Amino acid sequence: MSTTQSERLRELLEPLVTSQGLDLEEIAVDSVGRKRVLRVVVDSDTGADLDQIADVSRALSAKLDETDAMGEGEYTLEVGTPGAERLLTEHRHYVRAVDRLVKFQLAEGGELVARILKVDDEGLDLEVPGVKGRKATSRRVGFPEIDKARVQVEFNRKDSKNEKEEEA
């Protein structure tokens, strides 16, 4: 998708998404055979439920139908959320990922897997899990030190509230 088309679609659709209380995270147009698919990713600080996604999908569909932003020809509109292993690229993404385990690619090289404890304008306070029975350690990472960050899926994580109750 050309930058011009991407910018046009963002300008057209972002006010509608915002009016629904959501953030427009991503727009992508992909070709699937002879058809095109317009994928719109939305989110908010509290997440987006199915009703919100359905409402914004209807609003976007109506707006696209009344304009020629997608040009001639068929296309499919898909509206969804970022998913479990989302890439963190904006400050608000890091805020939304507080208490989540994240894999960082560091600008100096190397990787770090840590839990985000706190986010401010300069960077992150992290908890680096201990290995082989060692205690977790704290670490501060500034945004300029981060090359790439992606949320990790955790299947066996104990809820910290439940852990405290078990310890009592």
Side-chain angles (χ1 to χ4, degrees):
M1 174 167 70
S2 73
T3 303
T4 305
Q5 184 183 21
S6 175
E7 289 169 358
R8 246 189 9 232
L9 284 169
R10 182 169 285 278
E11 286 174 16
L12 178 69
L13 303 179
E14 194 160 29
L16 286 171
V17 172
T18 303
S19 74
Q20 302 282 330
L22 300 170
D23 295 318
L24 178 59
E25 297 293 349
E26 185 180 328
I27 295 176
V29 177
D30 298 312
S31 294
V32 179
R34 291 185 299 220
K35 290 190 177 184
R36 293 174 298 148
V37 178
L38 171 59
R39 290 187 175 87
V40 178
V41 178
V42 298
D43 201 8
S44 76
D45 290 343
T46 58
D49 64 30
L50 290 176
D51 290 334
Q52 288 176 300
I53 291 172
D55 291 344
V56 78
S57 182
R58 282 189 290 275
L60 296 179
S61 181
K63 187 66 162 180
L64 289 165
D65 287 348
E66 70 185 39
T67 69
D68 68 344
M70 287 299 293
E72 296 297 318
E74 292 182 33
Y75 68 93
T76 301
L77 172 64
E78 292 181 1
V79 180
T81 57
E85 292 187 352
R86 78 169 306 156
L87 192 61
L88 306 177
T89 58
E90 307 265 341
H91 186 271
R92 69 177 179 263
H93 299 163
Y94 289 96
V95 171
R96 292 173 185 163
V98 166
D99 204 35
R100 301 287 307 272
L101 196 64
V102 175
K103 184 177 190 178
F104 298 92
Q105 300 289 328
L106 302 175
E108 68 204 23
E111 290 182 349
L112 171 66
V113 176
R115 188 168 313 283
I116 298 176
L117 300 177
K118 184 179 171 194
V119 180
D120 58 35
D121 291 340
E122 286 80 41
L124 313 168
D125 290 337
L126 305 174
E127 178 185 72
V128 181
V131 179
K132 295 184 181 179
R134 293 190 179 133
K135 286 190 172 194
T137 57
S138 297
R139 180 167 174 182
R140 174 79 181 170
V141 175
F143 287 117
E145 298 174 61
I146 302 169
D147 191 37
K148 193 172 168 183
R150 184 175 301 274
V151 172
Q152 300 297 288
V153 174
E154 295 180 84
F155 293 107
N156 296 323
R157 179 169 183 223
K158 286 185 178 180
D159 182 19
S160 58
K161 180 181 167 188
N162 290 342
E163 284 177 18
K164 290 176 186 170
E165 289 173 0
E166 288 173 9
E167 291 173 2

